[in-house]
């Protein structure tokens, strides 16, 4: 019983110290010419996206074709629902020669980090 209590106490202490060390996301200053890309589905995009973002669905079969129309030397801020699809999109864009890519994570995280409001509609 003593070992169990000690284990629980240790686990709780580690969890609390990790939480105390966590800090909010650092603000992101986007270049004036940065393109904000929402890689979620069109329905997700319509439900709420960063103002000024363009929607290029990473799950769409024409993702590479659409991204290839962009300047690979440009600056891009990419986000999705959780950061998973934006990571996939960044990997695919990197393979196409893009170099200035930032993963904004979720739409909420991206909004908080950039200060850009979430809007609804197309």
């Amino acid at each position: 019983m003593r070992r169990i209590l000690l284990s629980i106490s240790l686990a709780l202490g580690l969890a609390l110290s990790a939480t105390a060390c966590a800090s909010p996301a650092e603000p992101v200053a986007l270049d004036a010419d940065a393109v904000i890309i929402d890689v979620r589905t069109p329905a997700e995009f319509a439900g709420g996206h960063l103002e000024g973002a363009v929607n290029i669905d990473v799950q769409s079969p024409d993702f590479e074709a659409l991204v290839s129309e962009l300047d690979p030397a440009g600056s891009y801020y990419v986000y999705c629902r959780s950061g998973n699809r934006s990571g996939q999109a960044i990997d695919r864009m990197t393979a196409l020669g893009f170099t200035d890519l930032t993963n904004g994570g979720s739409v909420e995280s991206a909004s908080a980090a950039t200060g850009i409001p979430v809007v609804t509609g197309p």
Side-chain angles (χ1 to χ4, degrees):
M1 180 62 121
R2 189 176 207 178
R3 283 187 182 172
I4 293 172
L5 289 175
L6 182 58
S7 296
I8 291 171
S9 177
L10 262 172
L12 184 57
L14 288 173
L16 289 174
S17 66
T19 303
C21 293
S23 61
E26 292 292 320
V28 175
L30 297 179
D31 293 339
D33 60 345
V35 177
I36 303 168
I37 303 174
D38 184 319
V39 296
R40 299 175 300 154
T41 66
E44 290 173 302
F45 183 81
H49 58 274
L50 266 60
E51 187 173 53
V54 295
N55 184 216
I56 305 176
D57 183 357
V58 71
Q59 297 172 336
S60 170
D62 59 349
F63 176 78
E64 275 83 4
L66 293 170
V67 167
S68 292
E69 295 175 8
L70 302 172
D71 178 6
S75 177
Y76 300 93
Y77 189 79
V78 185
Y79 72 90
C80 62
R81 184 181 56 84
S82 68
N84 182 36
R85 285 179 282 177
S86 54
Q88 293 172 19
I90 286 174
D91 288 345
R92 292 167 71 180
M93 291 174 75
T94 299
L96 293 170
F98 290 81
T99 57
D100 189 358
L101 301 161
T102 302
N103 187 341
S106 70
V107 64
E108 294 84 7
S109 296
S111 176
T114 62
I116 299 172
V118 174
V119 296
T120 57

